[in-house]
Amino acid sequence: MRGDYQHLVDEISAALGAPATLEDRDFVLIAFGAHGGEDDLDVMMDPVRTRSILQRRSTAAVRAWFEAFGIARAQSPLRIPPDPAAGVFKGRICLPVRHRGVVHGYVWLLDDEHLAGLDLSVPYADPRLAQAMETAARIGELLAAEARAGAELGELLREVLAGRPAGRDAASAALREAMGRAADGPLGLVAVAPWALGEGEHGEGDGAPDGIGSALAGQSGVAALCAVPDPLPGAPAALAALVRLRTTSAVAPARMAAERLLRSPRAGAGPARRGTAGLAAPRRGLADLPEAWHEALAAARAAAAEPRLGPVAEWGDIGPYRLLAALPAGAATDTTVRPLLAPAHAELARTAEVFLDCAGQAGRTAAALGIHRQTLYYRLARVEQLTGLDLDEGEGRLLLHMALKAARL
């Protein structure tokens, strides 16, 4: 499928005599075409095009600038001026990639001297533009077909992960049939949370996230994607990605998919809360996917709670959060420790947690916090006063340590 897109983009580049770039409607790069000529260096030095090629997507500022011109509703090519403030130093010609009235992506061309005389007012008057638009329509048909296939797989995956027990076996069998031999091979499951739900992703209808699936499926080994509503406290949804692996000991494809999904504008809940991703322990086959989903969600929660683990955390690396994430929300808040969790005592709570992370070794703790030992001893005494716990006792240490970790979730 990727080769088909590349071939069609090359057709547009040849027809218009200028390099073309194809992105899906979430501005994720699918393919780009080169056009030989003395100006190739200037083309490659364009920062927006270079960033799109190297990072596989455009920035939020670039996206906002282009979308302000109505590209998502455009029926015909558009000429878009530059905007240095958004990092767009050269103008663009946008060919909307549509199928049956729906925009599935965009073909971009630099609006330089090669295209200066191109008349967009009557799109099909210029035979070069007419040919390019016909090719863009073929791309739209391919993207639409891929999106439909991805949606069907996504619906099955969501039913396996979060559906009623009575329907899981049937969904698993259908997913196995659709995936073929890959269904019995090594698989990784990724959870990205929080994830902003799109139209049709509230538990009914289209299970594949808009635009993301078609751009990732052929490039990252992603077999299926779906949005799962209400998987965690405070998260409207999480994204599940089922990733094909070479072996159960090599999770690099799953990690790469997670990192790319985290770059989506739908990952996170605005600037105040960035998304995190969790990787379940790899499985062979589909039988343990519901359990793997709980592991992936727990790892994503741990990554959000403990910055050193994230933004992508693996189930095997999250330590005590493997147990704490299984508890109901709020269940681990102990009344004894609650006074220490007040905002006014944040420094004392951090001191106690670092002390316990360092196995109660005062020298390591003082060095980690950058304080004198006497200061450390004073703070620990205050912790004991607030909680009534004896930090020389193992059970008191364990209770305090788990409660402090749980408070992050």
Side-chain angles (χ1 to χ4, degrees):
M1 188 70 77
R2 299 297 111 180
D4 293 338
Y5 292 130
Q6 186 62 60
H7 174 71
L8 293 170
V9 169
D10 288 342
E11 277 190 19
I12 293 176
S13 296
L16 295 176
T21 301
L22 172 63
E23 294 179 331
D24 73 4
R25 58 187 171 194
D26 263 347
F27 287 66
V28 176
L29 180 69
I30 298 175
F32 61 93
H35 177 69
E38 59 183 11
D39 297 320
D40 275 0
L41 181 60
D42 291 337
V43 167
M44 289 306 297
M45 288 303 291
D46 175 76
V48 173
R49 187 174 193 269
T50 302
R51 186 184 300 111
S52 175
I53 292 172
L54 295 180
Q55 299 183 4
R56 311 300 294 185
R57 70 176 305 108
S58 297
T59 66
V62 169
R63 175 175 179 164
W65 174 249
F66 288 141
E67 287 182 335
F69 288 87
I71 59 174
R73 302 180 301 276
Q75 302 285 334
S76 57
L78 296 173
R79 185 169 258 121
I80 301 175
D83 177 30
V88 183
F89 293 100
K90 293 188 176 182
R92 294 291 194 281
I93 290 178
C94 174
L95 309 184
V97 176
R98 302 177 67 88
H99 181 69
R100 294 183 177 176
V102 177
V103 171
H104 289 273
Y106 310 100
V107 173
W108 301 99
L109 302 109
L110 293 179
D111 193 10
D112 55 17
E113 61 273 14
H114 295 294
L115 302 176
L118 199 62
D119 183 6
L120 304 187
S121 60
V122 185
Y124 295 96
D126 189 310
R128 298 175 299 164
L129 189 56
Q131 181 181 345
M133 288 298 291
E134 188 275 333
T135 304
R138 288 156 57 197
I139 294 174
E141 186 175 356
L142 285 177
L143 284 174
E146 195 169 351
R148 286 193 298 273
E152 292 173 1
L153 287 174
E155 289 173 2
L156 292 173
L157 177 61
R158 184 170 56 206
E159 186 67 22
V160 170
L161 299 182
R164 290 182 291 272
R168 286 182 179 176
D169 288 344
S172 182
L175 183 60
R176 177 177 287 105
E177 181 179 357
M179 290 178 59
R181 294 177 59 184
D184 296 317
L187 297 167
L189 191 62
V190 176
V192 178
W195 185 263
L197 285 170
E199 185 178 354
E201 292 177 8
H202 296 266
E204 300 177 357
D206 188 355
D210 293 344
I212 297 290
S214 60
L216 280 177
Q219 299 176 27
S220 304
V222 176
L225 288 160
C226 68
V228 180
D230 303 317
L232 297 172
L239 182 76
L242 186 62
V243 185
R244 296 181 292 271
L245 306 177
R246 291 186 177 181
T247 68
T248 54
S249 60
V251 299
R255 179 170 286 274
M256 290 175 59
E259 291 170 349
R260 295 187 60 193
L261 285 164
L262 282 173
R263 292 197 289 268
S264 167
R266 297 173 65 180
R273 184 178 179 188
R274 303 299 299 170
T276 56
L279 275 58
R283 302 302 205 274
R284 184 170 291 279
L286 305 177
D288 295 331
L289 284 188
E291 180 183 354
W293 178 234
H294 291 301
E295 293 179 1
L297 287 173
R301 288 183 69 189
E306 192 68 68
R308 65 179 175 82
L309 295 174
V312 180
E314 297 181 30
W315 165 254
D317 296 336
I318 63 175
Y321 292 108
R322 292 169 65 163
L323 294 176
L324 294 173
L327 297 175
T333 302
D334 187 83
T335 55
T336 301
V337 181
R338 191 172 296 157
L340 184 61
L341 300 178
H345 300 310
E347 188 175 59
L348 291 178
R350 178 170 178 267
T351 298
E353 187 171 359
V354 173
F355 174 70
L356 296 167
D357 286 344
C358 292
Q361 297 180 27
R364 285 178 57 198
T365 306
L369 293 170
I371 59 177
H372 194 275
R373 280 199 185 196
Q374 288 303 121
T375 303
L376 172 64
Y377 295 141
Y378 169 77
R379 292 183 183 177
L380 294 177
R382 288 282 294 127
V383 169
E384 290 183 327
Q385 291 172 1
L386 283 168
T387 62
L389 296 172
D390 184 351
L391 295 186
D392 288 331
E393 296 292 332
E395 288 189 358
R397 287 190 181 191
L398 179 60
L399 173 60
L400 178 60
H401 206 182
M402 292 298 96
L404 290 170
K405 295 293 184 188
R408 293 178 178 274
L409 291 174

